[in-house]
Amino acid sequence: MEKTPGTEFAAPQRTPPNIIQIETAKISQDEILQMVLKATPNVFLVLNPNRQIILANRALGDLLDVNPLEKLYGLRPGEALDCIHSTEHLSGCGTSKFCSTCGAIRAILTALDGIADVGECHIQQRHSGNTLEFRVFATPFTFESGQYIFVVLNDIS
């Protein structure tokens, strides 16, 4: 399928890689957040306002067999998880027409509006063909006047 620019659902804007690195360095200094990341057995992500991963726990690396986790920073959740729809637009995860029914992006967008939300998503992976099923908990939080989203993925397969 040919990639097209733009979006059919969520905003396409992205944060540049150098800003992702600054956000990651800033937020990873928080000791309490580091303890939460280590203590949470489920996949735990910190997303910036453009829905890009700026921090994740080892559970994500274990699920995807990725090390170091920094390889995933700057990606959106569906891109990191290899969702078949995450490559339909140049703008990536959240921008295809299929994303409008995804419980993950819907919960994340609600959290971006300042309201915690829960949704479910079923991701068919592009390369393996495997299906991942998650209950997605998205919670807004503020850190040093910046707005972020905590996302926890609970495997329900």
Side-chain angles (χ1 to χ4, degrees), residues 32-49:
I32 293 173
L33 180 55
Q34 286 299 326
M35 289 190 309
V36 170
L37 286 169
K38 289 177 184 171
T40 305
N42 295 336
V43 172
F44 188 104
L45 310 172
V46 178
L47 306 182
N48 69 10

Side-chain angles (χ1 to χ4, degrees), residues 138-153:
T139 306
F141 79 102
T142 303
F143 181 80
E144 294 184 3
S145 75
Q147 298 299 312
Y148 300 94
I149 307 296
F150 287 145
V151 175
V152 176
L153 304 179

Side-chain angles (χ1 to χ4, degrees), residues 7-103:
T7 184
E8 291 180 88
F9 189 60
Q13 291 79 11
R14 287 187 178 268
T15 303
N18 63 318
I19 303 299
I20 294 285
Q21 289 177 337
I22 293 168
E23 288 178 317
T24 298
K26 179 176 69 170
I27 205 162
S28 64
Q29 299 293 320
D30 188 272
E31 291 179 20
I32 293 173
L33 180 55
Q34 286 299 326
M35 289 190 309
V36 170
L37 286 169
K38 289 177 184 171
T40 305
N42 295 336
V43 172
F44 188 104
L45 310 172
V46 178
L47 306 182
N48 69 10
N50 287 323
R51 308 182 315 277
Q52 292 167 272
I53 300 169
I54 61 166
L55 205 57
N57 68 351
R58 189 68 241 152
L60 178 64
D62 293 345
L63 173 69
L64 301 175
D65 195 26
V66 171
N67 193 19
L69 287 170
E70 289 78 9
K71 291 179 180 180
L72 303 173
Y73 296 174
L75 298 178
R76 292 183 173 144
E79 296 157 5
L81 295 167
D82 198 33
C83 174
I84 60 170
H85 300 297
S86 69
T87 59
E88 292 182 12
H89 286 281
L90 294 173
S91 304
C93 172
T95 62
S96 87
K97 65 182 177 184
F98 299 100
C99 300
S100 67
T101 62
C102 175

